[in-house]
Amino acid sequence: MDCTVVLITGCSSGIGLHLALRLASDPSRSFKVYATLRDLRAQGPLWEAARARGCPPGSLETLQMDVRDADSVAAARTRVTEGRVDVLVCNAGRGLLGPLEVLTAGAVASVLDVNVAGTVRTLQAFLPDMKRRRSGRILVTGSMGGLMGLPFNTVYCASKFAIEGLCESLAVLLQPFGVHVSLIECGPVHTAFQEKLEGGPGGQLDGADAETRELFSRYLRHCEQVYCEAAQDPEEVAEVFLTALRAPRPALRYFSTERFLPLAQLRLSDPSGCSYVAAMHSAVFADEPAEDPDGPGRRPEPEKWGGPELGAPPAAPQ
Ligand SMILES: NC(=O)c1ccc[n+]([C@@H]2O[C@H](COP(=O)([O-])OP(=O)(O)OC[C@H]3O[C@@H](n4cnc5c(N)ncnc54)[C@H](OP(=O)(O)O)[C@@H]3O)[C@@H](O)[C@H]2O)c1
């Protein structure tokens, strides 16, 4: 039987690296994994882990692929010796954190280029062949930050919201082509993501006013708490990709954790957005509740959006 050819972007660390290993070392030996990296000089940890996991020879190959560069994406495609990709995983991404007004134009452009245009470039390179063959699966690393706005993650959330629209639109079109698109919506995951934030954590904070700087400090404390309590291991998240990959009729969305779903649902249950904004504000900046323009009657009760357990630290970046 032919193996399933999988190509993954962003495999130097984190979710991409762990997914590549998980598939290449699968006991079925049915996957051929092309783990792609922006910079092949960063492939050491992947191969080290592959040796430790006993990935069989030929199950894993690395390719250079920078999603910001269409030529690099096209070149990677031509190096897939099987001549086809059965499963494309658009995973490469970069975070950007800090008050909007201090983010540099370069950092904003770079994150949108990687997260949005980079995903578009990758899809444009691989989708036509899948459509022609009337078969294929596309898995995209989504984020709860693509389903709800998170303070100080403005541009990152904008990029992940864009990914939602991109994938949902494609999913509607692709039904008759036998090509399935699934978003793997992740909450916080223990990866190098925080260390690789574009421009470092927070940017040039001096450019922000004192009150915003104080709120940013509070946000960082909140994040730390959320990470301690809720961050998942990338191995756990890789299993969610496997679920999507194996589903006979894949769903558009899979969630690595259900912890943040009540907040996402709050956005839908009150389309005005007031309930979500108030709930998220008080969750993050707990000791300074959001002003409620409609008076206390409109403020959502914690139990309505997930109860006290969620009311503690519901949201993290990413
Ligand atoms: N960690 C979380 O809490 C979390 C939560 C929700 C969603 N996510 C999403 O998960 C995905 C993977 O992130 P991660 O958590 O695994 O963090 P990570 O360890 O930082 O991995 C990100 C990967 O993307 C790669 N990348 C960045 N720019 C690229 C480019 N121009 N071309 C190709 N690859 C590029 C990075 O490569 P370099 O090392 O070369 O930069 C790295 O391999 C991202 O899309 C992120 O938005 C993460």
Side-chain angles (χ1 to χ4, degrees):
M1 198 184 75
D2 271 356
C3 61
T4 301
V5 180
V6 185
L7 185 139
I8 310 171
T9 66
C11 292
S12 70
S13 58
I15 296 168
L17 180 149
H18 283 89
L19 179 62
L21 290 175
R22 170 65 184 84
L23 293 172
S25 63
D26 191 72
S28 69
R29 297 193 167 206
S30 60
F31 297 104
K32 166 69 181 282
V33 180
Y34 287 92
T36 73
L37 297 87
R38 179 174 64 95
D39 182 350
L40 281 181
R41 285 172 299 185
Q43 65 183 314
L46 174 66
W47 285 115
E48 216 170 286
R51 270 190 294 278
R53 290 273 292 250
C55 294
S59 63
L60 181 66
E61 239 178 80
T62 51
L63 295 175
Q64 192 276 335
M65 182 166 151
D66 185 335
V67 299
R68 293 169 303 182
D69 175 1
D71 291 341
S72 151
V73 177
R77 192 192 55 204
T78 61
R79 292 195 192 106
V80 174
T81 51
E82 290 78 3
R84 67 171 204 284
V85 168
D86 301 306
V87 181
L88 172 68
V89 183
C90 297
N91 166 74
R94 201 169 277 290
L96 181 58
L97 187 65
L100 183 68
E101 57 272 32
V102 306
L103 303 179
T104 65
V108 170
S110 170
V111 165
L112 294 176
D113 195 15
V114 174
N115 296 5
V116 185
T119 306
V120 172
R121 272 179 212 109
T122 308
L123 289 166
Q124 284 177 328
F126 292 94
L127 185 58
D129 183 55
M130 287 183 170
K131 286 171 84 175
R132 216 166 12 249
R133 291 189 295 109
R134 303 193 88 78
S135 160
R137 291 188 180 217
I138 296 164
L139 307 181
V140 180
T141 313
S143 167
M144 294 313 292
L147 297 169
M148 56 176 95
L150 306 170
F152 298 113
N153 282 272
T154 44
V155 173
Y156 178 72
C157 284
S159 76
K160 289 297 188 183
F161 268 66
I163 292 301
E164 294 291 320
L166 180 68
C167 293
E168 197 168 281
S169 302
L170 273 178
V172 175
L173 170 76
L174 291 175
Q175 279 209 331
F177 289 92
V179 178
H180 302 279
V181 181
S182 298
L183 282 150
I184 313 303
E185 311 286 12
C186 303
V189 188
H190 291 294
T191 66
F193 190 80
Q194 300 290 345
E195 292 138 48
K196 294 185 183 178
L197 287 170
E198 187 76 45
Q204 296 299 315
L205 274 179
D206 310 353
D209 61 88
E211 189 177 351
T212 302
R213 289 203 303 271
E214 154 61 15
L215 288 168
F216 186 57
S217 310
R218 274 202 239 175
Y219 171 75
L220 291 180
R221 285 197 293 278
H222 167 79
C223 280
E224 225 175 275
Q225 193 189 342
V226 173
Y227 263 82
C228 285
E229 290 178 11
Q232 294 177 287
D233 288 327
E235 289 87 350
E236 197 181 333
V237 174
E239 293 305 322
V240 185
F241 281 80
L242 263 287
T243 302
L245 198 156
R246 287 182 170 141
R249 292 166 61 88
L252 173 59
R253 292 191 181 85
Y254 292 83
F255 293 85
S256 71
T257 170
E258 295 195 345
R259 186 180 170 108
F260 306 100
L261 282 180
L263 272 163
Q265 278 156 357
L266 189 62
R267 290 185 72 244
L268 302 176
S269 62
D270 174 7
S272 79
C274 296
S275 301
Y276 172 75
V277 170
M280 180 54 92
H281 185 97
S282 59
V284 177
F285 308 113
D287 46 346
E288 193 184 62
E291 251 183 43
D292 186 346
D294 296 328
R298 286 294 304 271
R299 188 180 299 286
E301 299 300 323
E303 62 272 20
K304 287 197 191 136
W305 47 272
E309 187 251 317
L310 244 179
Q318 297 82 53

